[in-house]
Amino acid sequence: MRDNDTNEYLAEIDAMISATFIPRYNDVGTYEVVLRYDSSSASQYFAGPNALNHPGIALLRGDKHIMSGPMQAIDRTYDSSGDILTIYGVSDMIWPYNRVTVPDPVLGAGHGDFYSAGPASVGECLSQLLYDHCVRTELGRSIPSMSIGDVGDVGPVVFNQSRYANVLSTMQEIATGNNIAFDIVDLSLLAWVPTNQGCVFSVEQGTMTSYINTVTMPKWNFNFTGGKTPTDAFNNPLYASQQIDTSEDSASESAWNRIETYYDRQDILNPPAAPATADFLQQVSDENLIPGQSPVGYQVAIIETDQQIFGVHFNVGDIATVTVPGTTWTDIVRDTTITFSGNNPVTVQPTIGIPARPGYLAQLGQFSRQVRRLQTV
């Protein structure tokens, strides 16, 4: 259990009946923990009415910190089988999910009516977004004990400009569109380039017991993105003409034919009011291809070996390989379901590739696009 204000670990959970943790690649993870109500751990969750006072939960394997975050809900169930408490929670990625990119009054009126990050590396832009919306104290929006961590100069130089967009969704666009993984564990930001850890899952090698392979038509593979180009020296959005940039996934078009979409970003200016080293609208257009990708991947039930332990030798955001008869598939570990049940062995089911089931923010992308359309009407 973890104190959400101080980020201190309180105690190991006792009398646990079962638990399921699902960390996700560049997204909010979830967990469900079932306890006996008469346990000392369960008593911690009825100390007061404020949910922030209730302990969060952290998942560790040895000294490796895999996932942490606050609770969202508690269920108490009493019947003939006993008095049971179920705790539902999310990972620390929920904190930027709970914020929107607001103009910065501290920087003054000249900053414009939008929020800007960069131009800087992907890691530095992620750090800036989290710092401005979850760490800074001037605006009264800081999360206790949240820190940037040692992200470093990871990824290419990018620029982001948005207006009242979801902060996590904005971070996802920047990171996922440039092949950068990020997470928030123990209230500290991490970012890295996905690398192949050499883990191979195969029935023949005794490291996999079953798999589900999913291939689905993409949502889109050709993207029209609409923005505005200022026509005066002051980048005034009132004097701007519309600009259209396009992006395409040629391989997907060959497989599925062209599937078009329009991404309305007339809430931004191109070139942006702040200096940039590249065409920002084209960057946004390229990044918007990612949410439309075809789900292709394998959800596998693995047998952990001394050389392939989840959270120790590989994690969500690393690259792994699945070998099945006639096919070898290498991709990013997008999510992993970790299940504890009584005295049974821990089960680990990673998804290698793009999962068919939606992540925490699956519906938010559509909602954000509708909001941007409304903002430009």
Side-chain angles (χ1 to χ4, degrees):
M1 294 184 293
R2 183 194 73 176
D3 186 300
N4 291 313
D5 286 333
T6 65
N7 197 37
E8 294 179 359
Y9 288 175
L10 303 175
E12 186 173 343
I13 292 178
D14 65 333
M16 183 174 70
I17 298 172
S18 65
T20 301
F21 292 83
I22 309 178
R24 294 184 173 92
Y25 171 70
N26 292 2
D27 206 345
V28 180
T30 53
Y31 62 81
E32 175 183 321
V33 178
V34 182
L35 308 170
R36 293 205 314 265
Y37 182 76
D38 60 0
S39 66
S40 60
S41 296
S43 65
Q44 296 285 334
Y45 290 89
F46 291 92
N50 185 352
L52 282 176
N53 292 333
H54 301 152
I57 289 179
L59 174 64
L60 285 72
R61 299 196 79 176
D63 60 350
K64 303 293 185 180
H65 295 227
I66 297 174
M67 176 178 164
S68 62
M71 56 151 272
Q72 278 195 319
I74 302 175
D75 280 346
R76 181 183 179 186
T77 304
Y78 180 83
D79 57 24
S80 58
S81 61
D83 202 351
I84 303 299
L85 190 71
T86 304
I87 303 162
Y88 303 93
V90 290
S91 73
D92 282 328
M93 294 279 269
I94 193 65
W95 303 114
Y97 172 81
N98 289 340
R99 296 284 189 271
V100 296
T101 57
V102 298
D104 189 348
V106 177
L107 298 180
H111 193 58
D113 64 347
F114 47 78
Y115 174 81
S116 300
S121 69
V122 171
E124 290 170 325
C125 282
L126 295 176
S127 298
Q128 183 181 341
L129 277 156
L130 190 68
Y131 177 78
D132 286 342
H133 296 92
C134 294
V135 177
R136 285 178 59 182
T137 59
E138 298 98 320
L139 306 181
R141 306 170 74 207
S142 62
I143 304 299
S145 299
M146 179 71 77
S147 66
I148 299 304
D150 186 18
V151 172
D153 187 16
V154 59
V157 172
V158 295
F159 182 85
N160 181 266
Q161 192 180 87
S162 58
R163 184 172 62 174
Y164 299 103
N166 182 271
V167 172
L168 181 56
S169 179
T170 303
M171 295 172 76
Q172 288 177 326
E173 289 179 4
I174 294 173
T176 307
N178 291 284
N179 195 36
I180 297 298
F182 73 99
D183 200 359
I184 302 174
V185 181
D186 292 334
L187 295 173
S188 181
L189 177 66
L190 308 168
W192 65 97
V193 178
T195 56
N196 196 326
Q197 303 298 325
C199 294
V200 178
F201 305 114
S202 165
V203 173
E204 289 76 10
Q205 295 182 18
T207 56
M208 180 173 70
T209 59
S210 63
Y211 68 88
I212 300 173
N213 176 218
T214 302
V215 180
T216 306
M217 178 183 289
K219 298 184 185 74
W220 60 82
N221 54 31
F222 192 97
N223 183 47
F224 295 92
T225 298
K228 291 181 178 180
T229 300
T231 57
D232 70 340
F234 301 99
N235 291 326
N236 191 330
L238 297 177
Y239 303 98
S241 60
Q242 188 180 54
Q243 176 180 338
I244 302 292
D245 279 9
T246 62
S247 302
E248 62 181 314
D249 184 338
S250 300
S252 178
E253 286 185 66
S254 297
W256 298 99
N257 209 321
R258 179 182 288 192
I259 305 171
E260 298 176 345
T261 191
Y262 175 72
Y263 189 27
D264 191 339
R265 288 307 308 267
Q266 295 184 71
D267 60 318
I268 61 178
L269 294 176
N270 187 62
T277 58
D279 185 336
F280 175 49
L281 192 63
Q282 185 63 58
Q283 173 196 312
V284 169
S285 183
D286 294 343
E287 290 171 350
N288 191 55
L289 281 176
I290 302 299
Q293 284 182 328
S294 170
V296 180
Y298 290 81
Q299 183 184 18
V300 299
I302 69 171
I303 300 173
E304 293 185 314
T305 66
D306 291 342
Q307 292 75 39
Q308 292 189 174
I309 300 174
F310 177 76
V312 178
H313 302 107
F314 75 100
N315 209 331
V316 170
D318 289 330
I319 295 174
T321 298
V322 177
T323 299
V324 299
T327 302
T328 296
W329 183 265
T330 299
D331 207 331
I332 294 174
V333 180
R334 303 285 177 149
D335 63 37
T336 300
T337 301
I338 309 154
T339 304
F340 304 83
S341 180
N343 295 321
N344 298 316
V346 176
T347 63
V348 179
Q349 294 181 291
T351 299
I352 318 299
I354 303 173
R357 59 182 182 276
Y360 197 85
L361 287 178
Q363 301 302 317
L364 184 63
Q366 287 185 330
F367 176 73
S368 296
R369 291 177 178 83
Q370 295 298 325
V371 169
R372 285 177 179 137
R373 287 194 176 94
L374 291 172
Q375 289 172 341
T376 56
V377 171

